Amino acid sequence: MNTNSPQYWFRAKRHGLGWGLPLAWQGWVFLFSWMLIFLFGIRLLMPGGKQMRWAFVAAMVVLLLAICYWKGDPSGRRWNGGDGK
C-alpha cells in the first residue's frame, strides 16, 4: 500500500456535486453509526420542541458533510462523469 496517496472514505459522485457511497470500511462504519445516531436522536427528541429537533438535524447534516469533505475524494461539479470528454 502506498503511504503517499490518501485513503479516501467516500468517492466523489460521477455526475453533479457531492459524494457517493463509501469506499473504505471506515466510511461504512461512520455512515451506519451516523444513521443510528440520527434515528435514535430524532426518536428521543420527538416529545421535545420543534426547534430542538431542527437544531439536531442541522448539526447532524453539518457533521456528515464535514466528514465527507475531510475524508472524501476531492469533490467538484462534474457534468460528464469526470473523464474530461
Side-chain angles (χ1 to χ4, degrees):
M1 183 169 155
N2 188 358
T3 58
N4 292 334
S5 65
Q7 174 65 35
Y8 296 122
W9 290 4
F10 301 94
R11 81 174 77 236
K13 288 172 62 176
R14 289 194 60 167
H15 301 284
L17 186 64
W19 298 271
L21 291 175
L23 289 170
W25 67 268
Q26 296 95 332
W28 285 108
V29 169
F30 171 75
L31 186 61
F32 284 129
S33 300
W34 183 90
M35 288 190 296
L36 285 174
I37 293 168
F38 184 83
L39 292 174
F40 285 122
I42 289 294
R43 178 87 172 161
L44 289 173
L45 292 173
M46 281 304 225
K50 198 181 244 186
Q51 290 177 337
M52 190 65 155
R53 281 193 307 266
W54 281 111
F56 176 74
V57 168
M60 289 298 290
V61 169
V62 167
L63 174 67
L64 179 64
L65 291 174
I67 294 295
C68 286
Y69 184 78
W70 177 46
K71 296 303 279 185
D73 194 17
S75 181
R77 185 169 290 181
R78 296 183 176 133
W79 297 106
N80 60 4
D83 56 5
K85 293 181 183 178

